[in-house]
Amino acid sequence: MKTFFSEDHRKHFPQAELSGGQFVTPFERPSRVEYVLAELKARGMGDIVAPGAADMAPIEAICDAGYLAFLQSAFAEWKADGNAGELIAGCITPRGMRTDRIPTNIDGKAGYYCHAAETAITAGTWEAALSSAASAQAAQAEVTAGARAAFALCRPPGHHATADQYGGYCFINNAAMAAQMFAAAGQRTTVLDIDFHHGNGTQNIFYDREDVLFASLHGDPADAYPYFLGHADERGTGAGEGANANYPMKSGTAWDEWGAALDDAIGKIRAHGTEALVVSLGVDAYKDDPISFFRLVSDDFTRAGEKIAALGLPTLFVMEGGYAIEAVGINTVNVLAGFEGA
């Protein structure tokens, strides 16, 4: 299995995240990727290939034009307004206020286009986000060309990004973009999200679509980010009714319950008539993850990969979360190895 990866991810390295009432080094940091790369190489998992430049057309197919323009200019505007540090939204659009007018002030713009203030924008964020999307595009092309599977080692991740908002460390929704690329080619597509946190952005993008099934295993939003989406009764709307499947689970969830949810999701993937599968590969369901509360162990990720392989579908793995830094490589590659060995 080829891995597609860009060194330009390093251009996005915020120095601060607001967590627990204080500024800390972000949990989503460049070193996450180094552990994954080291494990891929140690196990001889296949070639690691740099993508070419990102094609804007697939990005524009899932993103609002004004949002993309904001991402490109935000940091320059922030600095031009006299701000010394990184751009962190200070006033996110609240209930009861108007959303039909976008502020001209950069602080107001950030609040309009952001849904979670832990996510900072830096001088290199746009370039890094584009390189992440480029990796997903190159991996999607590899699968389209006939490969059984490919891995897009994306950073920054993407599944919390909606069509017009960033947050949860995400700016461009790489998995949704890749799914749209498959769907645009006429293939019935599923996005299976196994990240601990609900893929609110992916759900948002496909919620009224019948051709793209979204299935997500995640921490119950009553207790876990993103809090305001991911409940079991969210099944899609209009043409998309029934094409959205959420599996929210409580604190302490281990393999038995999590694996059963995966089995149920796999049943829905088969019933959907899926022809191409995109896996949002987050490994923060791990027992020692610092911002999650599931209890999966490393071997469970191997079993997850085996179950996914049993679908027999062309499969694109897209990297999402996982913040137990020293285990992120083992757990990520365990999924891929389980898939390859099945």
Side-chain angles (χ1 to χ4, degrees), residues 205-240:
I205 289 167
F206 294 120
Y207 202 59
D208 60 356
R209 295 266 297 269
E210 185 274 338
D211 58 330
V212 180
L213 171 69
F214 176 63
S216 177
L217 284 62
H218 53 268
D220 191 323
D223 297 304
Y225 180 89
Y227 299 113
F228 304 105
L229 213 61
H231 297 279
D233 62 355
E234 296 160 13
R235 301 186 62 254
T237 189

Side-chain angles (χ1 to χ4, degrees), residues 80-315:
D81 203 43
N83 297 292
E86 296 165 346
L87 171 50
I88 299 175
C91 182
I92 294 173
T93 314
R95 288 191 296 276
M97 291 192 180
R98 294 181 63 171
T99 59
D100 61 327
R101 294 191 178 181
I102 303 172
T104 55
N105 177 274
I106 185 57
D107 191 40
K109 277 188 191 177
Y112 180 84
Y113 286 117
C114 180
H115 63 70
E118 85 290 290
T119 303
I121 292 177
T122 73
T125 296
W126 173 244
E127 290 177 84
L130 278 184
S131 76
S132 189
S135 293
Q137 290 174 5
Q140 191 274 343
E142 174 79 0
V143 174
T144 295
R148 178 188 180 216
F151 176 39
L153 180 48
C154 292
R155 184 185 173 271
H159 72 149
H160 294 306
T162 70
D164 62 358
Q165 285 191 309
Y166 68 96
Y169 313 129
C170 302
F171 302 94
I172 296 171
N173 194 318
N174 304 303
M177 177 194 65
Q180 173 59 28
M181 292 170 75
F182 284 123
Q187 293 179 282
R188 290 183 67 77
T189 305
T190 291
V191 180
L192 171 64
D193 192 325
I194 63 171
D195 189 282
F196 169 83
H197 302 94
H198 177 253
N200 61 289
T202 313
Q203 175 170 309
N204 171 268
I205 289 167
F206 294 120
Y207 202 59
D208 60 356
R209 295 266 297 269
E210 185 274 338
D211 58 330
V212 180
L213 171 69
F214 176 63
S216 177
L217 284 62
H218 53 268
D220 191 323
D223 297 304
Y225 180 89
Y227 299 113
F228 304 105
L229 213 61
H231 297 279
D233 62 355
E234 296 160 13
R235 301 186 62 254
T237 189
E241 186 172 355
N244 197 89
N246 286 325
Y247 298 87
M249 289 169 273
K250 295 295 187 182
S251 178
T253 292
W255 172 259
D256 285 352
E257 182 180 354
W258 194 93
L262 179 58
D263 286 339
D264 194 82
I266 285 170
K268 287 183 169 59
I269 292 168
R270 289 196 174 105
H272 179 68
T274 302
E275 297 168 296
L277 177 64
V278 179
V279 179
S280 271
L281 178 50
V283 293
D284 39 3
Y286 181 58
K287 64 182 181 65
D288 293 329
D289 196 276
I291 55 174
S292 307
F293 54 60
F294 285 173
R295 303 298 301 166
L296 268 61
V297 299
S298 291
D299 286 347
D300 293 335
F301 292 99
T302 305
R303 292 198 272 180
E306 292 168 350
K307 285 179 178 288
I308 293 166
L311 282 162
L313 292 170
T315 302

Side-chain angles (χ1 to χ4, degrees), residues 4-120:
F4 294 85
F5 159 74
S6 173
E7 289 285 353
D8 282 351
H9 81 93
R10 300 179 191 282
K11 295 180 179 181
H12 174 71
F13 187 12
Q15 297 303 294
E17 171 184 339
L18 186 60
S19 177
Q22 59 185 340
F23 285 108
V24 300
T25 301
F27 294 101
E28 201 295 294
R29 59 188 73 160
S31 57
R32 297 174 62 242
V33 167
E34 299 307 319
Y35 283 96
V36 178
L37 287 172
E39 194 68 18
L40 288 167
K41 292 171 183 175
R43 297 205 221 174
M45 289 295 294
D47 294 338
I48 299 172
V49 182
D55 179 355
M56 288 303 300
I59 298 171
E60 291 166 351
I62 62 156
C63 290
D64 172 76
Y67 172 60
L68 291 176
F70 162 79
L71 288 179
Q72 291 178 65
S73 65
F75 192 74
E77 289 185 53
W78 178 250
K79 299 304 283 186
D81 203 43
N83 297 292
E86 296 165 346
L87 171 50
I88 299 175
C91 182
I92 294 173
T93 314
R95 288 191 296 276
M97 291 192 180
R98 294 181 63 171
T99 59
D100 61 327
R101 294 191 178 181
I102 303 172
T104 55
N105 177 274
I106 185 57
D107 191 40
K109 277 188 191 177
Y112 180 84
Y113 286 117
C114 180
H115 63 70
E118 85 290 290
T119 303

